[in-house]
Amino acid sequence: MLNIKNSLRFKLIIGFFTIAVPLVGLLLYNNYYASNTIREQVADSNKNLMILYSHQIEAALNKETNFLYNIAVEDPNIAALSQLLNDPDEYYLAKARILNTLTRYHRFDNSVDLQFIYSVKKQDLFNTPIKTKSYEELLSIKTTIEQLVKEVQPDSAYFMEWKAIEYSRDKYALIRLVDTGDDFYLGAFVAMENLMIPLDLIHLDAGFASFVDEHGKLITNTSAIGSQRLNMELASESNEVYQIVKKENRKYIVVMNEIQGTDVILSAAVPEAQMLKNLYHFRRGIVILSIVTFIILIIYLIYLNKIILKPMNNLVRGMRRIKLGDWNIRLHSSKSKEFTIINETFNSMASQIHELKISVYEEQIKAHKAELKHLQLQINPHFLLNSINIVYNLAEIKNFSVIQLMCMNLVKYFRFTTKTNQIAVTIAEEMEHMESYIKIQQVRFPERVTYEIHISDSADQAAIPPLLIQPFIENAIKYGFDFMDHPFHIDIQIRLLEQNQLEIVITDNGNGFSAEVLQQLQSGSYAENQNGKHLGICNVQYRLKHIFGHMTRLEFDNVPDSGARVTIVLPFRTVEQFTSY
């Protein structure tokens, strides 16, 4: 299997996402940037508005503070109040004159709701008229002021700046006190909701304005964002600072600005949806464009898969099938002209290679059969030379009876070996041939060579290549027989194994294989070191390899305290099965 990272499909998908992700990301970033730019512009506009109105409030409150200080210093009635505490009539007249002065001033300046004077010694509070919608509100305002001036200390922050105070449920006001120095306090009171009237008239795009205390809590329009608190660190004059708050499913862009000389902050909130309503079609277009672009790219990827990837996969699959030996695979025509040509060429190539492979295979079979016959014939001259040498030696000693016996066995032997048209013989035929060969050796070495052949039931009908066992018998006599004190014995065991296999074991009681030869035989390097000599074992190895391939096994070892042992394991076949081969 190919590594998926090296496949064409993987590379096309990666290429698709390489193009699609940045493109969609760019569109979404453009949408975000446009929305954020609108937020900043709206925040900047409302921030400037808050700064402008904050300065107006600061100016009005500073003017009122200066007026209170001027009255405390310059008005003789204020100075006389402390001296008239024991004269009720004059004290009352002085209070009336002071209230008239305050009322005349506020006839032309209504920046505050009321002003008041409080006597610390007499705990007497008198004030300008209070304009309220109900008596309960009036009573609440008066009670709040009285409680404040009774409990206030000379070093209180109320003498330093305007401070917010709750005078009724969710209703706040700014109060400022001025100490006259004669145990009298001057003060001014302005309701927050009255300060909000000009802001409520300003168009904030369905938003709202509100005053915020030093803890970030709204003290006007308290229901706008519920119990949420604003971040007071963003209450600077920087036009770029804004924050986002949520209530239910609505988002608000909030800007704030501190009002100098007070402990409150002015804020404005604009709904994000209302603010971005002009961007609705633009944002919708970007989202639709992103979706359409993504869909088009997916369709294009599917199209590429159909015209390129699918035919390519079919081609690769066909190549793999051919690699596995399936020469009947053929590719169908493609909708692409180029792949149609490739598929036709592939089909033609597969047919030609299949035909060529069959021809080569048939030629190899013929060559193998010819080589097997050649290898078989190589053994006959080899043994013929040895046999003639034996007859020559017997003639020298004029042992004619032995020569006759020798010639009779040679006739049987060569009658068997000259049947070159046979590619297989039965075990019984091979063993009869082996007996002729061993008897020839017994003639040569009277009473020095013995043998035993053991064939299990049904094994005598097994077929093997002719002259398969004789080279090992010949080598055993040639190299293992060394005129020992006891006769040289050859034992041949033939039996059937499980899994339909035939085992042939040839042992002797001779000298066995030398360590060097045994190592070469076991490692398979014996044939490489013979240089044309000792053809018997090499020919057997080649014949077994060509006929049976990996289904055969040829093993060499020495029997402990005895001679050599050769084991041949090969598949069980009949003569008819060999003939079909």
Side-chain angles (χ1 to χ4, degrees), residues 354-381:
H354 190 199
E355 294 175 359
L356 180 61
K357 189 178 180 76
I358 292 174
S359 299
V360 170
Y361 184 70
E362 291 176 348
E363 292 296 328
Q364 288 178 343
I365 291 175
K366 293 178 180 179
H368 288 166
K369 289 183 177 180
E371 185 176 0
L372 289 175
K373 289 184 178 180
H374 175 69
L375 292 174
Q376 180 179 336
L377 290 175
Q378 280 185 322
I379 297 175
N380 295 333

Side-chain angles (χ1 to χ4, degrees), residues 156-175:
S156 174
Y158 287 96
F159 295 101
M160 304 299 296
E161 63 179 0
W162 292 80
K163 291 189 68 65
I165 186 172
E166 186 177 14
Y167 64 90
S168 183
R169 182 176 179 82
D170 293 333
K171 290 187 177 182
Y172 289 80
L174 288 176
I175 292 182

Side-chain angles (χ1 to χ4, degrees), residues 391-547:
V391 173
Y392 175 78
N393 292 330
L394 290 173
E396 280 189 337
I397 62 175
K398 298 180 180 180
N399 192 344
F400 302 111
S401 62
V402 176
I403 291 175
Q404 289 177 338
L405 181 61
M406 179 72 172
C407 290
M408 183 183 66
N409 284 292
L410 282 174
V411 169
K412 292 181 180 181
Y413 176 81
F414 282 108
R415 183 180 292 119
F416 179 83
T417 58
T418 53
K419 296 178 181 180
T420 57
N421 60 327
Q422 286 184 308
I423 61 174
V425 295
T426 63
I427 289 293
E429 292 174 332
E430 181 76 5
M431 289 303 98
E432 183 181 358
H433 173 68
M434 286 300 97
E435 284 187 300
S436 298
Y437 175 79
I438 295 174
K439 287 179 179 179
I440 292 174
Q441 302 301 333
Q442 286 179 331
V443 169
R444 182 182 178 189
F445 305 107
E447 299 181 358
R448 301 299 302 170
V449 178
T450 61
Y451 71 95
E452 285 185 79
I453 299 175
H454 302 278
I455 304 175
S456 64
D457 295 339
S458 302
D460 57 343
Q461 296 303 314
I464 60 173
L467 302 178
L468 183 68
I469 301 175
Q470 186 244 322
F472 301 106
I473 304 299
E474 182 179 354
N475 284 338
I477 294 175
K478 183 176 181 180
Y479 298 105
F481 177 47
D482 194 18
F483 296 98
M484 300 175 295
D485 295 336
H486 53 276
F488 181 74
H489 182 74
I490 299 173
D491 184 80
I492 302 175
Q493 302 278 346
I494 302 175
R495 62 192 180 99
L496 292 178
L497 302 177
E498 295 180 355
Q499 300 179 346
N500 204 24
Q501 289 184 317
L502 180 70
E503 181 186 60
I504 303 172
V505 181
I506 306 167
T507 57
D508 62 58
N509 62 347
N511 298 325
F513 298 109
S514 65
E516 180 181 359
V517 172
L518 183 62
Q519 191 276 333
Q520 292 177 357
L521 289 171
Q522 292 177 343
S523 64
S525 61
Y526 179 77
E528 300 175 359
N529 301 321
Q530 299 310 304
N531 298 322
K533 300 178 180 179
H534 310 296
L535 297 176
I537 294 178
C538 298
N539 284 341
V540 171
Q541 289 176 326
Y542 279 121
R543 293 167 70 193
L544 290 175
K545 177 181 177 181
H546 285 310
I547 296 174

Side-chain angles (χ1 to χ4, degrees), residues 48-207:
N48 290 332
L49 181 64
M50 292 302 101
I51 293 174
L52 177 62
Y53 195 70
S54 296
H55 290 168
Q56 292 178 359
I57 295 175
E58 291 171 10
L61 295 178
N62 288 336
K63 182 179 178 181
E64 182 65 24
T65 302
N66 293 334
F67 173 73
L68 293 177
Y69 275 110
N70 290 334
I71 289 293
V73 174
E74 298 177 358
D75 194 330
N77 294 310
I78 298 294
L81 281 177
S82 61
Q83 300 173 2
L84 300 174
L85 291 176
N86 297 323
D87 188 347
D89 295 333
E90 290 298 327
Y91 180 76
Y92 178 79
L93 291 174
K95 287 197 307 183
R97 287 192 294 270
I98 294 173
L99 290 177
N100 286 334
T101 301
L102 296 177
T103 303
R104 281 197 307 269
Y105 177 77
H106 282 284
R107 187 178 299 168
F108 305 102
D109 184 4
N110 58 355
S111 57
V112 296
D113 295 321
L114 65 94
Q115 293 171 320
F116 57 87
I117 301 173
Y118 177 71
S119 173
V120 178
K121 292 181 178 180
K122 294 187 67 173
Q123 294 188 351
D124 181 24
L125 176 69
F126 51 98
N127 54 270
T128 58
I130 302 174
K131 298 177 181 180
T132 61
K133 297 179 181 180
S134 64
Y135 175 76
E136 289 79 6
E137 185 177 1
L138 185 147
L139 184 61
S140 177
I141 293 174
K142 195 163 185 177
T143 302
T144 301
I145 295 175
E146 286 178 349
Q147 184 178 358
L148 173 65
V149 294
K150 287 179 181 179
E151 298 175 356
V152 72
Q153 300 296 322
D155 58 350
S156 174
Y158 287 96
F159 295 101
M160 304 299 296
E161 63 179 0
W162 292 80
K163 291 189 68 65
I165 186 172
E166 186 177 14
Y167 64 90
S168 183
R169 182 176 179 82
D170 293 333
K171 290 187 177 182
Y172 289 80
L174 288 176
I175 292 182
R176 175 64 191 271
L177 299 178
V178 174
D179 190 354
T180 64
D182 296 324
D183 291 332
F184 283 91
Y185 298 154
L186 284 174
F189 177 98
V190 55
M192 289 288 193
E193 59 184 12
N194 294 332
L195 289 176
M196 290 298 303
I197 292 175
L199 278 173
D200 291 337
L201 298 175
I202 297 175
H203 182 59
L204 286 176
D205 294 330

Side-chain angles (χ1 to χ4, degrees), residues 3-26:
N3 189 338
I4 188 173
K5 292 184 178 179
N6 296 328
S7 66
L8 184 60
R9 183 188 299 274
F10 179 80
K11 293 178 179 179
L12 282 178
I13 293 175
I14 291 299
F16 166 76
F17 281 103
T18 302
I19 296 174
V21 171
L23 179 59
V24 174
L26 179 62

Side-chain angles (χ1 to χ4, degrees), residues 1-4 6-10 12-13 304-321 329 331-332 334 339 342-343 346:
M1 296 295 291
L2 293 174
N3 189 338
I4 188 173
N6 296 328
S7 66
L8 184 60
R9 183 188 299 274
F10 179 80
L12 282 178
I13 293 175
L304 286 180
N305 179 70
K306 186 175 183 180
I307 66 171
I308 296 179
L309 295 181
K310 189 174 181 180
M312 185 68 70
N313 288 337
N314 291 335
L315 181 60
V316 172
R317 192 179 298 110
M319 290 180 177
R320 288 175 179 170
R321 295 282 296 277
I329 184 68
L331 301 180
H332 301 290
S334 174
F339 275 103
I342 292 174
N343 292 347
F346 175 87

